[in-house]
Amino acid sequence: MTILLETAEKIRNMEIRGAGRIARAAALALKDEAKSIETDSLDDFNGKMKAAYKMLYLTRPTAVSLPNALRIVMRYKAATVEEARSQIIANADAFVTGSENAVKRIGEIGARRIKDGYTIMTHCNSSAAAQIIQTAFKTKKDISVIATETRPRMQGYVTVDIMQKAGIPTTLILDSAVRYNMKKADAVVVGADAITVNGNLINKVGTSQLALAAHEARVPFIVAAETYKFSPRTLLGELVEIEERDPSEVLSPEMQKKWPNLKIANPAFDITPHSYIDLICTEIGAIPPEMAYWVITEKLGWEIEEAGENGI
Ligand code: RUB
């Protein structure tokens, strides 16, 4: 199997998951494809690259880091196959390095918001959110973590594993125990799959419940998001599609047979309104959600026309 097919399958089945990892894996899959296409015809090369783009684009619908990464890697203008190939390789390498550096920078910026003695609640597993917590801990701050299980895929275990390996005291809680435990939290830190032009956050289903409970308890709600998590297409009035995953993630096929008339809803993400977000930590600084429009138009620099293309 080619790296392209393997990566697409791993993103689809969530072996590769988390918006940042998905973006980096997709960029590297395009790079590998560019390296392996054997042709002298630029049209042929372009056609094959577009097909690879399309395959990766369709793997998961919500994390905007995926189409953003694909567009960044596919920004090439070349007169020959070799020129195109080397531009794609350079774009992919630059994206991956930039993405890894962004996560580190977010860690440094976000860690300044974590004071000594803080307990931080987090949801699902976000590399950017985990980086903030780990960076704060490394600066000798005496902190602890409350991690939700994150049913049905239990990404909370990944977070627990990271925190345990780093030696950070951690408490695992049920998703339904978020409000009860919020009184023990000094801050909530979560990641992002997408941020819309009006500053709303799309992240793992249940995130909006942490935000509501944090708001009620006056606990700061902080989002860790690289700028490529901001969605240019929302500038055109489009909504971010919420992925609906297979019912078998919620209830086994055997149990489903027991209740043939039962409906199961399994949205993978939800929407947190910008009014519940105190701060978004990006690699270009800690910003209010109201600056999303600026990030999309000025930082990402995408014209509305370009934002409207999905490249397919
Ligand atoms: C993962 C999830 C993460 C964001 C950010 O969902 O919601 O919070 O993707 O992660 P899933 P990161 O497990 O369904 O992919 O900060 O690592 O990009």
Side-chain angles (χ1 to χ4, degrees):
M1 207 194 278
T2 65
I3 290 192
L4 171 69
L5 287 172
E6 198 181 313
T7 306
E9 184 47 31
K10 283 185 176 171
I11 295 174
R12 224 176 278 118
N13 69 22
M14 290 178 62
E15 239 176 280
I16 297 173
R17 48 144 301 281
R21 281 194 203 92
I22 289 172
R24 289 188 290 275
L28 291 175
L30 281 185
K31 171 181 162 178
D32 189 76
E33 191 62 10
K35 279 167 91 174
S36 58
I37 294 172
E38 287 175 17
T39 181
D40 293 329
S41 151
L42 188 58
D43 282 349
D44 189 25
F45 180 87
N46 289 343
K48 286 185 170 134
M49 284 309 298
K50 264 210 169 121
Y53 176 113
K54 185 174 175 179
M55 179 186 291
L56 291 162
Y57 182 91
L58 294 173
T59 50
R60 285 191 81 187
T62 303
V64 76
S65 54
L66 174 61
N68 281 353
L70 295 175
R71 269 194 216 107
I72 289 167
V73 175
M74 291 289 273
R75 271 182 191 161
Y76 65 91
K77 265 204 178 81
T80 65
V81 170
E82 283 323 308
E83 261 177 51
R85 207 191 301 277
S86 66
Q87 282 180 36
I88 291 169
I89 293 170
N91 287 349
D93 287 340
F95 177 79
V96 171
T97 308
S99 162
E100 287 165 353
N101 289 340
V103 174
K104 280 189 206 129
R105 187 81 189 114
I106 288 167
E108 290 158 9
I109 291 170
R112 298 203 180 104
R113 297 293 299 233
I114 308 298
K115 293 190 190 143
D116 196 32
Y118 263 28
T119 296
I120 303 133
M121 188 181 286
T122 190
H123 185 53
C124 191
N125 171 252
S126 151
S127 328
Q131 187 73 21
I132 290 181
I133 298 168
Q134 286 171 285
T135 308
F137 187 71
K138 277 188 201 141
T139 53
K140 308 277 178 250
K141 284 177 189 159
D142 177 20
I143 58 169
S144 60
V145 168
I146 299 174
T148 55
E149 282 184 317
T150 318
R151 255 189 64 80
R153 300 291 295 239
M154 302 302 194
Q155 290 94 328
Y157 292 177
V158 182
T159 298
V160 164
D161 193 53
I162 292 170
M163 298 304 154
Q164 290 296 286
K165 283 183 178 144
I168 304 173
T170 303
T171 306
L172 180 67
I173 63 167
L174 298 175
D175 298 323
S176 47
V178 160
R179 185 165 179 254
Y180 179 79
N181 282 286
M182 192 56 78
K183 55 182 171 288
K184 298 174 197 156
D186 301 290
V188 173
V189 181
V190 294
D193 274 85
I195 294 174
T196 64
V197 70
N198 55 340
N200 291 349
L201 165 70
I202 288 82
N203 194 49
K204 180 54 56 191
V205 69
T207 301
S208 66
Q209 293 179 102
L210 269 77
L212 266 174
H215 189 72
E216 181 196 43
R218 302 287 182 267
V219 171
F221 185 90
I222 297 168
V223 179
E226 304 90 305
T227 48
Y228 56 78
K229 307 274 180 72
F230 288 71
S231 168
R233 292 176 69 81
T234 59
L235 201 58
L236 300 169
E238 283 192 20
L239 297 173
V240 175
E241 183 183 339
I242 302 291
E243 178 181 11
E244 185 70 32
R245 292 193 62 87
D246 200 273
S248 62
E249 290 187 342
V250 177
L251 199 67
S252 68
E254 296 74 50
M255 289 293 279
Q256 285 185 51
K257 274 188 210 134
K258 201 173 158 193
W259 302 303
N261 295 323
L262 179 70
K263 287 188 189 138
I264 295 166
N266 186 19
F269 300 97
D270 68 13
I271 303 147
T272 300
H274 58 89
S275 50
Y276 292 110
I277 300 169
D278 289 283
L279 204 62
I280 304 177
C281 289
T282 75
E283 73 277 16
I284 55 167
I287 61 169
E290 288 74 15
M291 273 181 73
Y293 174 83
W294 182 88
V295 172
I296 292 169
T297 55
E298 302 299 319
K299 163 69 181 138
L300 298 179
W302 288 340
E303 302 299 332
I304 288 192
E305 282 78 9
E306 191 179 357
E309 284 173 16
N310 61 14
I312 294 179

